[in-house]
Amino acid sequence: TGYMVMDYEAGESLYQILRRAPMPEEATLKNILLPVLDGLQAVHQAGFLHRDIKPSNVFIRENGVPLLIDFGSERLTGGSTSKSRTAIVSPGYAPLEQYTSSGNQGPWSDIYALSGVIYRAVTGENPPDAVRRMKADNAMTVLAAARTRYSERFLKAIEWGMMLDEKMRPQNIAEW
């Protein structure tokens, strides 16, 4: 049996925060996201992918500092892509390439998931799963309704990160 151990942190997950206070201000979201992006970029530069980013895995410490947790699905990348043998998915947050064991996974896959987290924060709705989006995609219509509360640039970044085709997404954190 394998176990993952991490230090105890006092605070709560972004999932819990969004249940209590849905659709936070853009500045509040950026204060959470920018440090998470810095950490995720370091993870990618070390050759790993998280593969399970969702609101319950973004933890906000009591001092307000965010922390990306639960690396149980992480995989070492081979060059620029990861060809994992297992398909790990959190519906709504997992990109299409993560639904098969032979999908072309890379930093763009984690970007899709983090974009889904932001989508959840700005719309108050879970993002639709990638497979369902292939048939009927209303995700961007729902996102467009948030234009009264969030800047166009911020929403465009979410939209770009949630492109179904991994080649159309930002390929790394710096590009995003």
Side-chain angles (χ1 to χ4, degrees), residues 21-82:
M23 296 180 275
E25 299 287 326
E26 184 172 328
T28 301
L29 288 172
K30 286 181 177 178
N31 286 337
I32 293 168
L33 295 168
L34 293 176
V36 169
L37 285 169
D38 289 342
L40 192 56
Q41 185 171 26
V43 167
H44 292 164
Q45 287 173 343
F48 291 90
L49 301 175
H50 187 284
R51 297 184 353 127
D52 194 24
I53 299 171
K54 55 190 173 189
S56 59
N57 286 342
V58 177
F59 190 81
I60 313 303
R61 296 174 176 130
E62 281 185 340
N63 65 3
V65 176
L67 177 67
L68 188 57
I69 62 171
D70 192 0
F71 280 76
S73 297
E74 63 81 22
R75 288 290 180 256
L76 185 63
T77 61
S80 63
T81 63
S82 173

Side-chain angles (χ1 to χ4, degrees), residues 76-94:
L76 185 63
T77 61
S80 63
T81 63
S82 173
K83 303 268 189 203
S84 170
R85 293 181 187 200
T86 56
I88 307 292
V89 296
S90 290
Y93 301 98

Side-chain angles (χ1 to χ4, degrees), residues 55-169:
S56 59
N57 286 342
V58 177
F59 190 81
I60 313 303
R61 296 174 176 130
E62 281 185 340
N63 65 3
V65 176
L67 177 67
L68 188 57
I69 62 171
D70 192 0
F71 280 76
S73 297
E74 63 81 22
R75 288 290 180 256
L76 185 63
T77 61
S80 63
T81 63
S82 173
K83 303 268 189 203
S84 170
R85 293 181 187 200
T86 56
I88 307 292
V89 296
S90 290
Y93 301 98
L96 197 55
E97 65 268 18
Q98 217 165 299
Y99 278 78
T100 66
S101 59
S102 61
N104 182 31
Q105 297 178 47
W108 50 87
S109 305
D110 282 343
I111 289 170
Y112 183 97
L114 191 54
S115 296
V117 169
I118 307 167
Y119 177 98
R120 166 64 178 85
V122 304
T123 66
E125 297 181 19
N126 287 325
D129 70 74
V131 173
R132 191 171 85 215
R133 287 183 64 201
M134 288 185 65
K135 287 189 169 206
D137 190 2
N138 73 336
M140 297 312 129
T141 304
V142 173
L143 189 61
R147 281 177 169 49
T148 59
R149 294 181 49 92
Y150 302 96
S151 72
E152 186 71 23
R153 185 174 181 196
F154 191 64
L155 296 173
K156 286 289 185 193
I158 300 167
E159 188 175 328
W160 187 24
M162 287 185 69
M163 298 295 290
L164 283 171
D165 182 347
E166 75 267 10
K167 293 179 189 89
M168 301 299 292
R169 273 183 243 139

Side-chain angles (χ1 to χ4, degrees), residues 11-18 20 55-60 69:
E12 60 186 334
S13 72
L14 183 58
Y15 173 80
Q16 294 167 311
I17 292 169
L18 293 175
R20 188 182 68 250
S56 59
N57 286 342
V58 177
F59 190 81
I60 313 303
I69 62 171

